[in-house]
Amino acid sequence: MRGRGTSAAVFALTIAVVLAAGVALRPGEVAESAAIVDTTPTEELAATATTAEPVIAVSAPAPVIAEEVLPTPVAAPASAALGEMKHVWQSLNNCGPAAVVMALSTLGVDANQETARLALRGTDVRRGMGPQGVGPWVQELFGLKSMWRNNGTNETLKTLVANGFAPMVTQWMEEPWVSRVAHWRTVRGYDDAKGVFYVNDSMRGNNFPLSYDFFARNGQSFSFRYMVIYKADDEKLLRAIVGDQWSDLIMRRSLYERTKADAFAQNTNFAWLAYGEASYSFGMFEEAVAAFEKGLAMGNSQGIFGLRNSYPQALRALGRQQEADRAAQTVSGVTSVPSNGVAAPPDPYAVYLAMLRITPIERIPTE
């Protein structure tokens, strides 16, 4: 018999494949155990020692695992700025690689945005850059690492800058009622007295000021995503800054709670669509569909590219295949980048979380 944690992980991936084929994960009776179950493999570690007469069982003490000690980050002062940062004006639709090049310059790396473009976006100039490919590229070429998270906050970004990191963020390039263009920019400083971040922006300029309010509002449609390129020796400091959000599970739950509160408080189409996206990633598929549909009814979804995958997949997870196909057609034009015609697979971790909510852990196969 395999360990339960390993089998549960395999089971989650299997469910994802099943859902991709159009078979639903149906709501059922909620497990008596916690909604989110720790499925880390465990083993009985008791050992016994015996003598011939009488037999005496002696339990060996469980091994003590020392808790990792992380450094204490510098608290964000009232203002802070990184040193020199290269500025580049982007080529066509190349904000992501340009932002990476500017962040790399703070680590002593002088990279070319066209080289970065081919590696991080490919040859189709219509396509943007996701964060997933940055880590392997900077590792291979420069021996650096990259991490990205959703649910970023202004305070997190300020603390990153104060500790010498250059975070990149995904936001609207301008206010969305001016232009619906998704955009990467690199943060290089901030000033509490003025209430602004300073960014190197490949479209708007070097050391360009943007208000804290702009950051809080215009990252909402992109799950408040941020990314950091860093030296391996600085990983513990970075983890200390990111805190419990380093955990994918905690990050997803926190983003779900944050966007749900925002949706009811702000009652805008941006807030409801962001709530739908966070609900989907947390495996709350019924909530995701309801939030997506409310947001779509309230306003335009143009430019919110995650919707093209998340909304139909949430419907497929509920077994509503025909509705999912119609939804895919409805939101196919939210970006100017054409689809390749192949539906992305459902988020396997979201499916796993959903399964744990409706299936007692005892019923999850261990073989």
Side-chain angles (χ1 to χ4, degrees):
M1 180 178 289
R2 303 187 190 93
R4 175 171 290 172
T6 302
S7 301
V10 172
F11 180 62
L13 293 175
T14 302
I15 290 296
V17 173
V18 171
L19 285 181
V23 179
L25 174 65
R26 292 292 189 184
E29 187 173 322
V30 178
E32 293 182 1
S33 52
I36 296 180
V37 182
D38 183 358
T39 57
T40 304
T42 59
E43 297 180 34
E44 294 298 324
L45 298 175
T48 59
T50 63
T51 60
E53 184 69 29
V55 177
I56 304 173
V58 179
S59 296
V64 177
I65 300 174
E67 185 175 347
E68 185 177 24
V69 177
L70 299 177
T72 301
V74 172
S79 64
L82 299 173
E84 290 299 315
M85 180 187 290
K86 176 180 179 179
H87 178 263
V88 296
W89 298 103
Q90 70 176 73
S91 55
L92 179 62
N93 201 28
N94 208 43
C95 60
V100 168
V101 164
M102 291 187 280
L104 283 171
S105 72
T106 67
L107 298 169
V109 175
D110 186 14
N112 178 277
Q113 72 162 307
E114 290 306 306
T115 302
R117 175 182 70 83
L118 292 173
L120 302 177
R121 289 177 50 219
T123 57
D124 189 342
V125 296
R126 296 170 297 178
R127 298 194 178 277
M129 183 194 81
Q132 296 85 352
V134 175
W137 185 68
V138 298
Q139 173 71 47
E140 180 181 359
L141 266 66
F142 312 115
L144 299 170
K145 302 183 74 173
S146 172
M147 61 76 69
W148 64 277
R149 292 290 183 275
N150 295 327
N151 200 37
T153 65
N154 285 1
E155 289 307 311
T156 299
L157 296 175
K158 288 162 62 176
T159 304
L160 286 167
V161 171
N163 284 271
F165 296 102
M168 292 158 277
V169 294
T170 311
Q171 302 171 337
W172 294 116
M173 184 173 71
E174 299 183 70
E175 298 288 359
W177 53 85
V178 175
S179 176
R180 292 286 189 94
V181 177
H183 190 60
W184 285 96
R185 46 176 53 100
T186 307
V187 182
R188 63 177 302 170
Y190 67 89
D191 188 330
D192 285 347
K194 296 179 180 179
V196 298
F197 284 103
Y198 292 99
V199 300
N200 269 20
D201 190 307
S202 59
M203 286 292 288
R204 304 188 72 177
N206 182 36
N207 208 34
F208 190 84
L210 290 169
S211 72
Y212 289 167
D213 181 59
F214 181 96
F215 264 62
R217 286 183 293 103
N218 288 294
Q220 183 181 55
S221 294
F222 309 99
S223 299
F224 303 102
R225 178 193 297 160
Y226 66 101
M227 178 167 57
V228 179
I229 299 172
Y230 61 97
K231 298 177 180 177
D233 290 345
D234 291 331
E235 182 161 300
K236 287 188 176 181
L237 176 59
L238 181 59
R239 288 175 56 194
I241 295 169
V242 175
D244 62 4
Q245 300 294 299
W246 194 269
S247 160
D248 190 29
L249 171 60
I250 294 175
M251 179 193 72
R252 290 176 186 235
R253 181 175 62 213
S254 299
L255 181 63
Y256 163 75
E257 293 169 348
R258 174 184 182 179
T259 56
K260 184 174 184 176
D262 285 348
F264 283 96
Q266 299 170 13
N267 199 33
T268 65
N269 82 305
F270 292 124
W272 281 100
L273 293 175
Y275 170 33
E277 189 72 34
S279 298
Y280 170 74
S281 73
F282 195 46
M284 307 292 282
F285 300 126
E286 291 190 8
E287 282 189 51
V289 170
F292 283 138
E293 292 178 350
K294 184 174 179 67
L296 288 168
M298 294 177 70
N300 190 350
S301 63
Q302 183 66 36
I304 306 176
F305 46 79
L307 184 68
R308 189 164 66 183
N309 176 60
S310 303
Y311 178 30
Q313 290 294 12
L315 285 162
R316 290 190 179 99
L318 297 170
R320 295 159 62 177
Q321 185 65 43
Q322 290 184 338
E323 291 175 75
D325 293 341
R326 288 195 295 270
Q329 290 298 316
T330 299
V331 297
S332 62
V334 298
T335 76
S336 58
V337 179
S339 171
N340 60 12
V342 179
D347 182 332
Y349 195 39
V351 174
Y352 182 44
L353 294 178
M355 178 58 68
L356 289 182
R357 292 190 185 97
I358 65 176
T359 306
I361 190 67
E362 295 78 10
R363 298 182 191 171
I364 294 180
T366 57
E367 288 293 347

